[in-house]
Amino acid sequence: MMGRFLSHWGIATRLLVIAVLPASIMFVSVTATLSGLAQRDVRRDVAARGQLVATALAQSSQYGLVSGNTAYLRTTLRHMLEADPSIACIAIADAVARPVVSDCQVSKPTEVESFEVPIRIESLPQVDQFEPVPTPSGEGAWRTVGSVRVTMSPAPIFESKRRALLVAFALVLAAAVVSCLIGLRLARRLRDILGSVMSALRDIRQGRFDVQLATDHEGELGELQRTIVQMASTLDASRHDLEQQVAKRTQQLQEAVDLARQADADKRRLIVRSNALVEEERRRIALDIHDHLGAALISVRLEASALVARARACGDAEMQGDAARIAAAAQSIYATTRDIVKRLRPEVIDTLGLAGAVEELVRHADQVHPAARFTFQVDPGFPDVRGELAMPAYRVAQEALNNIAKHSDATLTTVTLSVLPETGHLRMVIQDNGRGFDTRSPRSTGIGLIGMRERVAAVGGELLVSSTPGQGTTVCVTLPLPAGQ
Ligand SMILES: Nc1ncnc2c1ncn2[C@@H]1O[C@H](COP(=O)(O)OP(=O)(O)OP(=O)(O)O)[C@@H](O)[C@H]1O
Ligand SMILES: [Mg+2]
């Protein structure tokens, strides 16, 4: 409790208490002791004096009392009262305690103490001239003829000692004040030094190491000041070193990042270029297949058809059947080559644009896989995208639909084309309700998904494949459209 209370005190308050408290305690305890000792001494003195005065009076007033010389007694009492102001009252009484004489000081003190001594007189022994009878002690017997009562008051002595006490208190007070002032001065000096040390430490905490701290003191305080200055300069040097290392490392990292960016840009250019080359090569192969193989197959089919006619005319049913099968096979191969040509070079992109070409892909998939439904949706305001930008999106759709057919067992697939209103980017979403897969560890070593991602990244787009086993797969492609599209 006390510890928590003290913990809120600042240095200045603590130093103030250290400076003032001991002097105050010293003042209070010394004055209390002095005053207690003085009172005890005075009381003891007054008691001794009272006893003495009463005894002396009892002895000196024996014969005045016996002889009835009250004038003498009164004068004696007056002299005594005048001689000692601490005697408040003196009273002499006879043997039966009847007051004989009494006298008091004019003022009436409140605190008094009385001392009573009997007045005794020695009876002379009876002397028989002829036959002396000695008393057992050899002396006469004592009889009490009265008593003296002395009432003492310490007040006058207190009064006389008061001035000395006040002087002593003043001296103690002066000593306490001087001690306080010296303590306060030392405390203020200490507070100033600690304040400058604190402010230097605050500077260091805030990262300012050029601390301005005087180091002109000796002893522990000087050591503290010098330690802080040295610590600041060591920290400054370490920070300088660290900054240099960070700057060097940052530069290295920047160079590495630049290199990686450069490599990434080169890779993208390479992918774009190789994709273009691949497309070009596909176009050439498609043309070759179309122009040479297609033409040859048409000619085979025409020849076989002519042979069918000739065999029918000759009535050669066997040859007619063979020729008809050759014609059908040629037709079938021709249809296959047309499919291959279409896949190799989707001219439909150039004729129908991206939306039409993707719709064609979806329609084809729907036809080829009667157990599953493939649907296509396009935003009404979807732009007419053709050429180089349309190709990556088209290839992604192609691969995604292939994957659905190969891996998903989906019963419903939806392909959606839209434009994002916020960015104006093209968005294509291909979603199936098939078995899905764990995208973090695809089981296959295929390169379809990798190819999709690279194609899209090469033209500054983004591809997101989200799938959970048992809950279908969603492929989402975002591609920047050129301005004006
Ligand atoms: N729609 C999907 N439904 C279920 N699994 C899928 C789907 N798409 C991809 N996968 C899973 O992801 C794996 C990787 O697909 P990716 O296209 O990269 O390779 P692949 O199709 O196996 O081979 P490649 O495409 O090279 O012929 C697939 O093997 C399959 O397990
Ligand atoms: Mg694949």
Side-chain angles (χ1 to χ4, degrees), residues 399-410 430 432 434-439 441-452 465 467 472-475:
E399 174 59 20
L401 290 173
N402 278 346
N403 278 350
I404 290 169
K406 271 174 26 185
H407 310 295
S408 78
D409 289 338
I430 301 155
D432 70 61
R435 68 163 66 129
F437 68 105
D438 185 354
T439 49
S441 56
R443 279 167 296 166
S444 149
T445 52
I447 56 163
L449 291 179
I450 298 168
M452 283 198 225
V465 179
S467 184
T473 305
T474 301
V475 176

Side-chain angles (χ1 to χ4, degrees), residues 354 358 388-398 417 426 428 430 456 477 479:
L354 177 65
V358 174
E388 292 312 309
L389 187 71
M391 192 56 80
Y394 181 82
R395 291 294 185 204
V396 167
Q398 213 172 20
L417 276 177
L426 177 157
M428 180 169 69
I430 301 155
V456 171
V477 185
L479 288 173

